[in-house]
Amino acid sequence: MADWIWCAATEKGINELSLDLFTGTVNPLDLDIKPITIWFQRLRETISRTLESEGFENDFITEAKFDIFISKKFREQKLLTCTATLKDKEGREYIGRTYTEQAYEDNLHVFKPTLLEKIKKVFIKINF
C-alpha cells in the first residue's frame, strides 16, 4: 500500500492525505483510487477482530483515520509517515504513534499521463 500511496501522491504533487477507513474515503479525492481503497475492508476487519479479542463490543470504535505525510526532506529515501486516530462511541479519541514506512517501487505509474504531460516529455528529451 505504501508504494501505491507514494507513487500516486508523487505523481499528483500531493504531500498530505487522509484515509478514513469507516467512510471509505480518501482526501484529497485525486488519490481516491482502488489500489488504496481496496485495503479499507481488510483494515476494518482487523479493527473488529482486535476489539472482539480484547473484550470490546464490535461497534466500540466509530472512526478510524490514517493521516499520511510525505516530507520533502525525506523524499529521496521515499519515506512517508502515518498516524492513526481512532474515535470510540463515547467520543474519546485515541492517537497512535507516528510510523514511518518506506516505498520501494520506482517505475509504478498510477495515472495515465495527460496529453500535455506527453508533449512536455517529448520536449524535454529533445532539449537534452
Side-chain angles (χ1 to χ4, degrees), residues 100-115:
T100 301
E101 186 65 38
Q102 183 173 16
Y104 295 97
E105 185 62 49
D106 283 329
N107 298 315
L108 177 65
H109 297 285
V110 178
F111 304 101
K112 291 181 180 179
T114 64
L115 180 58

Side-chain angles (χ1 to χ4, degrees), residues 38-91:
I38 199 163
W39 293 98
F40 288 6
Q41 179 61 35
R42 185 173 178 180
L43 292 166
R44 286 191 300 265
E45 289 169 4
T46 300
I47 291 169
S48 179
R49 282 193 310 272
T50 303
L51 287 170
E52 288 175 11
S53 72
E54 294 297 324
F56 289 94
E57 297 172 5
N58 194 29
D59 64 347
F60 183 70
I61 297 297
T62 59
E63 289 182 27
K65 295 181 182 178
F66 289 163
D67 292 312
I68 299 170
F69 179 70
I70 299 172
S71 168
K72 290 179 184 178
K73 180 179 178 183
F74 297 110
R75 189 169 289 280
E76 287 294 316
Q77 292 92 352
K78 295 184 182 179
L79 297 177
L80 50 88
T81 60
C82 178
T83 304
T85 304
L86 303 176
K87 190 176 279 187
D88 68 24
K89 64 182 180 181
E90 296 168 1

Side-chain angles (χ1 to χ4, degrees), residues 8-54:
T10 301
E11 283 183 44
K12 293 291 186 178
I14 295 170
N15 294 326
E16 295 182 48
L17 62 142
S18 179
L19 310 177
D20 188 321
L21 303 182
F22 283 22
T23 64
T25 57
V26 178
N27 189 13
L29 287 175
D30 286 349
L31 300 182
D32 191 356
I33 58 174
K34 192 167 188 161
I36 294 174
T37 60
I38 199 163
W39 293 98
F40 288 6
Q41 179 61 35
R42 185 173 178 180
L43 292 166
R44 286 191 300 265
E45 289 169 4
T46 300
I47 291 169
S48 179
R49 282 193 310 272
T50 303
L51 287 170
E52 288 175 11
S53 72
E54 294 297 324

